[in-house]
Amino acid sequence: MCEILEGKNAVCDSVGGVKAIYAWNTADATITKANGTISALSLAAGKYIHKFFVEMETSKFTATKIGDRKNQSVAYEQTGTMMLSGNTATDIVNLEALEIARTTFAVELNDGTYEVFYETNGASVSGVRDSGQAYEDANGNVLTLSGKEKNRPNKIAAGLITALLDPVS
């Protein structure tokens, strides 16, 4: 592991990309965190985390520092793109709900770590339904997520997420 506090003298190559995406209603969550890591996550009774399966190289999440030094302000603009295949009647209902909710997303990265985006304020979600034109075109929905947070996305252990997964999804 390369830690800036100890200097950087090791090679820290890492694979990029998103393996899976997890989502929950921001208002239902209670989070404990310190030093860039979420150590506890609980949801209101009867609420669950929902998993989205995504094809490799179809989703991306970023956090970009914004702010003004002269104002002594800092924040992080967070953005995400998710490509979801298919468009069932259930998908339509769920995606419409997602577009009006404030949702927090945990991203399972291909390097085996998890990061939580839109932790406090939730994401604004807009979707585009694309049927494709040719047989080989994608048929599904592209979701664009955006929001601002006070901090960078925090790391979270996989077990905290899997313990709260919806039992029917």
Side-chain angles (χ1 to χ4, degrees):
M1 177 178 208
C2 295
E3 296 184 24
I4 193 68
L5 298 176
E6 298 175 6
K8 184 165 172 50
N9 59 6
V11 177
C12 291
D13 292 342
S14 179
V15 65
V18 174
K19 185 174 182 179
I21 300 168
Y22 302 83
W24 62 87
N25 185 8
T26 305
D28 293 336
T30 301
I31 293 175
T32 304
K33 63 183 174 182
N35 301 319
T37 301
I38 294 172
S39 59
L41 170 63
S42 62
L43 296 178
K47 302 298 182 177
Y48 298 100
I49 293 175
H50 304 279
K51 184 174 184 177
F52 293 85
F53 296 94
V54 292
E55 286 295 326
M56 98 163 88
E57 300 180 354
T58 63
S59 299
K60 178 180 181 177
F61 285 75
T62 63
T64 304
K65 180 188 167 289
I66 58 173
D68 190 329
R69 184 174 179 167
K70 70 179 183 209
N71 292 336
Q72 296 183 351
S73 63
V74 66
Y76 292 88
E77 186 167 35
Q78 298 182 358
T79 60
T81 304
M82 300 168 53
M83 173 60 187
L84 304 175
S85 298
N87 193 53
T88 67
T90 301
D91 290 340
I92 292 168
V93 171
N94 289 336
L95 293 175
E96 285 177 350
L98 193 60
E99 289 171 333
I100 62 172
R102 288 199 172 125
T103 307
T104 299
F105 291 86
V107 180
E108 179 182 358
L109 302 173
N110 285 327
D111 69 2
T113 64
Y114 292 69
E115 293 181 356
V116 177
F117 286 77
Y118 317 103
E119 179 183 318
T120 304
N121 299 318
S124 173
V125 179
S126 61
V128 174
R129 167 72 178 111
D130 188 350
S131 66
Q133 183 173 340
Y135 280 137
E136 65 275 10
D137 289 348
N139 176 15
N141 294 276
V142 177
L143 302 184
T144 302
L145 299 84
S146 61
K148 292 182 182 177
E149 294 289 332
K150 185 173 149 181
N151 299 305
R152 287 178 169 270
N154 288 292
K155 295 291 187 181
I156 188 169
L160 293 175
I161 294 171
T162 57
L164 297 170
L165 279 175
D166 186 344
V168 296
S169 60

